[in-house]
Amino acid sequence: MRYTSTQDALVDVSFSEALLSNLPKSGGLYVPRNFPKFDFQKLIGFNSYADLAAEILQPFTDFSPADLKDIAKKAFNFPVPLTTLDESLFYLELFHGPTAAFKDFGARFLAQSLKNQSGTVLVATSGDTGGAVASAFWQLPGFKVRILFPKGMVSRRQELQLTNWGFNVASYAVRGTFDDCQRLVKTAFAQGHADLRSANSINIGRILPQMVYYAYASILAYKKNKNPSRVIIPSGNAGNACAAVWAKQIGFPIQHVVMACNANQTLSDYFKDNIYRPRPSISTLANAMDVGHPSNFERIRHLYSENEIRFKKDISAYSVSDTQISQTITRRPYQQIICPHTATAFYTYETLEKEKDENTILVGTASAAKFETVVEPLIQETIPIPKMLEETLQRPSHFQEISADENEFLELIRK
Ligand SMILES: *Cc1c(COP(=O)(O)O)cnc(C)c1O
């Protein structure tokens, strides 16, 4: 498989090159040059999640089958439950990894894929990415991790997950917004240090592994009643939705991809009037989705560039307010205790028409236990802390507060 750019068809690189070089130099984002087709019926009897992952990802990588199996086994070493909520309604819980959010899938696959390399991983986070990346690269020989997060804009437990690693991980609380953190990271990359590695969701190594759980869930749902699925995904930067669209593209039984967004309306507005208007992000209860310029949407549009009709048939986006998020959490739909991000999917589901002969898969992106300050007062109950999360939360926290000034930041990372 070769990779090209969303903005320059002349770009032609291997998977390993795309992994290491963050972004194509001539602009745009890396995308697969073509999409292999799988006969999902042949994969119905898969042995384990890691086996299925190796099978699906093989044509997308330049790793040997043995290496890829080993990478998949180490990266996906936690459960991926698909719960049945109702006859044709399923709940895909993507938050049973070490940092209790779906970012563990991409971050762990990326770290395992890079493990024979070295470098400094620089990552801006609005909440969950930084913890997942730190956890995945923690004590990995040859790697340093530098995390930037907006000071005071992440939950207490998210902050602990960003700051309590030590060893090869250092964290910076930026006096500014997530957009400021991203700007600082971009400035550093623009300096062209060969040693810097990106672990943000623009990195192809994070998106590809996310296809696997859509393949997995759509197969399991299909096994129940022979119907294809619609997936409803809490979305911000649209990386997770892009992975679902790609899983559909390579032949898995996915009918439609719904992006459930928070009050940041760039995507839902686009589906209303066909104009893409990026804007500054606004902060909401679902903070990991506070994105005003969802970068991965470019990848989705690239796939459909010549077919507007199919695009609208396959994909849609809706916006959910903080009030609707709170009300949904409070109601405990289907007896589930859900996080503010996941609530956007549950809420959106209830507003949509139910199609006959179609399953719906609601995607749970984080554990409610990570957002206890929002969820506990609403449900008036203490949420038990998952064991994996508890272990990380017990270590001491260290971080340095910095300004959002580009020159100060460049000075800092030069040291
Ligand atoms: C990152 C994140 C999202 C948004 O995912 P995108 O791929 O950026 O659309 C949603 N929910 C949680 C909990 C997240 O951490």
Side-chain angles (χ1 to χ4, degrees), residues 55-70:
E55 185 97 24
I56 294 171
L57 295 171
Q58 188 65 58
F60 288 94
T61 68
D62 47 6
F63 302 145
S64 75
D67 281 350
L68 185 57
K69 273 217 170 98
D70 183 58

Side-chain angles (χ1 to χ4, degrees), residues 101-103 128 234-240 288-289 341 365-366:
F102 80 88
K103 302 292 198 300
D128 291 322
S235 292
N237 215 17
N240 212 1
M289 290 158 45
H341 311 81
T365 50

Side-chain angles (χ1 to χ4, degrees), residues 289-308:
M289 290 158 45
D290 291 346
V291 181
H293 183 7
S295 356
N296 284 297
F297 191 49
E298 182 171 326
R299 287 186 157 123
I300 301 177
R301 281 202 296 185
H302 182 261
L303 181 64
Y304 285 89
S305 48
E306 275 138 50
N307 200 333
E308 199 59 25

Side-chain angles (χ1 to χ4, degrees), residues 213-274:
Y213 45 73
Y214 293 111
Y216 164 87
S218 65
I219 290 177
L220 292 183
Y222 180 88
K223 265 167 89 167
K224 289 246 160 125
N225 54 24
K226 302 283 174 285
N227 287 331
S229 292
R230 155 177 80 176
V231 291
I232 307 185
I233 308 171
S235 292
N237 215 17
N240 212 1
C242 176
V245 170
W246 286 356
K248 172 178 172 54
Q249 179 70 14
I250 60 176
F252 289 93
I254 296 164
Q255 193 99 298
H256 190 93
V257 176
V258 181
M259 296 187 273
C261 304
N262 58 23
N264 289 276
Q265 300 191 352
T266 307
L267 291 173
S268 54
D269 281 357
Y270 177 85
F271 281 85
K272 276 188 208 132
D273 59 16
N274 264 330

Side-chain angles (χ1 to χ4, degrees), residues 126 153 176-180 182-183 186 236-237 262-267 269 276-284 287 289-294:
S126 59
M153 290 171 79
T177 63
F178 172 58
D179 293 335
D180 290 317
Q182 272 197 313
R183 177 173 48 81
K186 276 191 190 142
N237 215 17
N262 58 23
N264 289 276
Q265 300 191 352
T266 307
L267 291 173
D269 281 357
Y276 183 77
R277 283 184 304 265
R279 54 201 87 168
S281 61
I282 54 174
S283 44
T284 73
N287 65 5
M289 290 158 45
D290 291 346
V291 181
H293 183 7

